[in-house]
Amino acid sequence: MSLPNPEPVLFLIEAFRRSQAMFTAVELRVFDHLEHAPLGVAQLATLIQANPDALERLLNTCVNLELLQLESGAYANPPIASTYLIRNSPHSIIGYIEYSQKALWHLWAKLPEAVREGTHRWEQVFGGQGELFSHYYKTDEDKRRFMMGMHGFGMISSPQVVRAFDLSSFRHMVDLGGATGHLPIAACQAYPELRASVYDLPGVLHVTREVIGDSGLDSRIDAIGGDFFKDPFPDADLYAIGRILHDWTRAKIDLLLKKIHAALPEGGAILIAEKLLDESGVKPLWTLLQSLNMLVVTEGKERRLSEYKEILESAGFRDVEGVVLLNSPLDAILARK
Ligand SMILES: C[S@@+](CC[C@H](N)C(=O)[O-])C[C@H]1O[C@@H](n2cnc3c(N)ncnc32)[C@H](O)[C@@H]1O
């Protein structure tokens, strides 16, 4: 009897090593240094104070992963590294890489306990007690790392999310839990008549204001502090809510959606940015892994469009439409009052 091909199992045994190779090259600022000029291993080892033989193994792995190029003994950044893996690129996703390495990596190590108990792992791994986001935001550095992590992905998804539907009839968007404001920024760039507000916990708004200032849209976008479970919402004809519903229990989602429905005028709408599970429940892999991620870090999970439809309709919304976006970390749903 011939044995099945072991390749998928062998791949998964080493898959985490790929992530850690990229995380380490980012942490050692390999890509930042190479952005100035291609360098040989000895020069780079001196710059980042690394062991030359060990560094060469890391660099050659990155070449094989297509994160670096090697020509005549010099390593150089290909466009993917210059765009996403250096600190001062406007499209940098280093925030999410740092968040993955400093937080998610340790939380995922406790996945077996999370699956047994069905709860996140913050207290077990990092200690402390309190509201969910008190774990994310223990220090200002943690806060900034998480927000810039969200921002990097948001820069990829938001321009597509705001164009998934024609939003040109709306005048004021409030992005609930809007973090850095990447969604209102993309929306104001796409719709010249729109004004927008980012609504988030007061302790994060200094980061929000920095990002809005850098976008040059501060005359059309403001930042408002509040707790979306407890405080009233600013008036809007369009509420956006991106990567929020997947954080919370069904009871808290119902509370939020009913509040949004009550705050909207007739004909107003809610725009949701979340990654949708296929109706089969077994794809796409990105969303399935994200749902496990939600297990180890939040109270929530990822859902199918039919599940969001049921949840939205039970909060009073109608005309629920979903759009699956290609090459985007998030999809889009629109529902009306
Ligand atoms: C997963 S992040 C999503 C951020 C953003 N919407 C995005 O897609 O990049 C969740 C956001 O909700 C905010 N948040 C958490 N609890 C909140 C609350 N009770 N009231 C207002 N914002 C809250 C956090 O500060 C954070 O910015």
Side-chain angles (χ1 to χ4, degrees):
M1 193 188 80
S2 69
L3 295 171
N5 180 359
E7 213 172 304
V9 174
L10 299 181
F11 171 78
L12 291 172
I13 285 173
E14 57 91 309
F16 79 91
R17 300 178 188 180
R18 298 167 189 246
S19 307
Q20 194 57 276
M22 181 177 77
F23 294 172
T24 300
V26 166
E27 180 171 334
L28 296 179
R29 298 180 179 250
V30 164
F31 306 104
D32 293 300
H33 284 297
L34 294 178
E35 195 57 15
H36 305 301
L39 294 171
V41 69
Q43 294 162 293
L44 202 50
T46 306
L47 274 175
I48 64 181
Q49 297 181 324
N51 174 287
D53 173 65
L55 181 63
E56 188 173 26
R57 292 188 225 177
L58 179 67
L59 297 176
N60 287 345
T61 304
C62 289
V63 172
N64 192 284
L65 291 172
E66 300 184 1
L67 301 175
L68 285 179
Q69 288 164 343
L70 174 61
E71 230 171 86
S72 314
Y75 295 90
N77 283 343
I80 192 170
S82 299
T83 309
Y84 300 115
L85 300 180
I86 65 167
R87 281 170 175 74
N88 64 7
S89 160
H91 303 283
S92 176
I93 43 180
I94 285 186
Y96 207 90
I97 290 173
E98 290 177 339
Y99 167 61
S100 298
Q101 191 176 23
K102 303 276 184 249
L104 298 183
W105 177 261
H106 303 281
L107 295 162
W108 271 78
K110 303 294 178 202
L111 183 60
E113 289 96 319
V115 169
R116 279 200 195 96
E117 295 172 23
T119 52
H120 67 71
R121 296 292 108 193
W122 286 104
E123 287 170 31
Q124 183 185 5
V125 176
F126 295 109
Q129 285 183 325
E131 294 291 319
L132 182 60
F133 275 80
S134 68
H135 296 292
Y136 285 80
Y137 294 158
K138 275 205 178 108
T139 65
D140 199 57
E141 193 191 349
D142 292 341
K143 191 181 291 175
R144 198 172 279 272
R145 183 187 302 127
F146 176 72
M147 290 182 73
M148 293 319 289
M150 294 287 109
H151 186 74
F153 272 150
M155 296 278 286
I156 299 171
S157 58
S158 286
Q160 299 184 64
V161 167
V162 299
R163 286 182 177 85
F165 306 97
D166 179 3
L167 305 179
S168 57
S169 63
F170 299 107
R171 288 294 165 267
H172 188 209
M173 163 191 276
V174 171
D175 188 14
L176 298 166
T180 59
H182 53 79
L183 189 76
I185 290 170
C188 285
Q189 283 165 345
Y191 301 100
E193 304 295 317
L194 191 70
R195 278 185 317 106
S197 304
V198 177
Y199 181 93
D200 208 304
L201 297 168
V204 309
L205 295 183
H206 58 292
V207 183
T208 312
R209 291 194 177 105
E210 274 173 34
V211 175
I212 295 173
D214 288 347
S215 74
L217 285 164
D218 41 346
S219 61
R220 289 168 61 203
I221 306 176
D222 61 359
I224 300 171
D227 178 331
F228 50 44
F229 289 123
K230 297 182 186 146
D231 298 322
F233 298 152
D235 288 341
D237 54 357
L238 178 65
Y239 288 99
I241 190 157
R243 286 183 285 195
I244 303 294
L245 300 183
H246 75 171
D247 288 341
W248 303 105
T249 59
R250 174 69 193 259
K252 288 183 182 168
I253 293 174
D254 287 346
L255 186 147
L256 270 180
L257 292 181
K258 283 183 184 146
K259 262 185 89 172
I260 295 170
H261 190 267
L264 276 171
E266 281 307 319
I270 179 172
L271 174 67
I272 298 173
E274 294 284 1
K275 196 71 193 160
L276 291 170
L277 269 176
D278 179 80
E279 291 300 323
S280 69
V282 295
K283 59 184 186 184
L285 181 59
W286 169 278
T287 318
L288 293 162
L289 292 173
Q290 182 64 358
S291 204
L292 283 177
N293 193 56
M294 292 298 108
L295 173 64
V296 295
V297 299
T298 72
E299 302 174 1
K301 62 179 181 177
E302 305 301 338
R303 293 180 163 80
R304 300 164 172 86
L305 179 60
S306 59
E307 295 174 274
Y308 280 114
K309 192 164 188 287
E310 183 274 317
I311 291 172
L312 283 159
E313 285 175 352
S314 75
F317 288 95
R318 61 178 171 82
D319 301 338
V320 181
E321 287 175 80
V323 175
V324 173
L325 298 167
L326 292 179
N327 302 319
S328 165
L330 294 173
D331 300 317
I333 302 170
L334 191 78
R336 291 184 187 269
K337 175 162 174 177

